[in-house]
Amino acid sequence: MKKRTPFFLLAVLLANSSPVFSQGLKKIPVSRSGCSLYTYCDMTFDESQSPDSSTVYAGECIKENVTYGIICVKLMNPSADINAAEELLTAYLDFLKGRFNIIKGAGYGKGHRLNKNENTRGILDYWEDNEKNNWKVKAWTDGKFIGVMYAFSKKEWPEQKVNIFLDGFRLPGN
């Protein structure tokens, strides 16, 4: 009996230790973009063209008082220069602040890599909009695509779930 007890306890601990993953995290395609994301709720995507003819896919869903969203842009004019791509990503986030009525931002945290891929760049920021929603935003690029992942709520969000979502963007082929 003593030999089985540690295995039994380990099984019980593992079964109960990860409530985040047991709450329906699933990988879904971002429309016809070739990108995908891991999300907790069903999302449908709108497709549109930007002024430079890039294709923009946008989707949102709500789960437990948190709005989860993505904007995925297939760039019409891709850049092989990852530093230039990061500058474009910064400019796009500045543009989105106006579209989302953001009144405060913590400041861009740069240096992130999507899945430790050195050919990607990521930016993290915390925002507040004019309706007092608190946002956490993580944006990604590889020079061919931009993926802006965000979550917002008036209440405090589940940090671990939000972080998993924000890091759940996948470029084509990943």
Side-chain angles (χ1 to χ4, degrees), residues 69-136:
I70 181 173
I71 300 169
C72 178
V73 182
K74 184 175 183 180
L75 297 170
M76 180 63 151
N77 300 306
S79 175
D81 180 350
I82 196 66
N83 294 320
E86 185 177 41
E87 288 177 24
L88 178 62
L89 183 60
T90 301
Y92 192 62
L93 287 172
D94 289 341
F95 165 76
L96 289 178
K97 283 181 178 179
R99 301 282 293 187
F100 289 136
N101 299 310
I102 301 303
I103 58 172
K104 278 196 246 182
Y108 297 140
K110 296 183 177 182
H112 300 273
R113 303 293 184 268
L114 185 60
N115 296 326
K116 300 178 185 173
N117 181 342
E118 286 300 317
N119 296 316
T120 64
R121 295 295 180 268
I123 297 175
L124 171 69
D125 204 0
Y126 295 85
W127 295 344
E128 181 183 309
D129 66 25
N130 63 351
E131 295 180 8
K132 302 292 184 199
N133 286 301
N134 293 308
W135 294 60
K136 188 169 184 179

Side-chain angles (χ1 to χ4, degrees), residues 30-57:
V30 179
S31 192
R32 301 177 300 138
S33 69
C35 297
S36 59
L37 77 146
Y38 286 91
T39 184
Y40 299 103
C41 42
D42 293 327
M43 247 184 232
T44 56
F45 298 94
D46 294 325
E47 183 178 331
S48 61
Q49 296 296 123
S50 70
D52 74 347
S53 297
S54 294
T55 306
V56 180
Y57 304 90

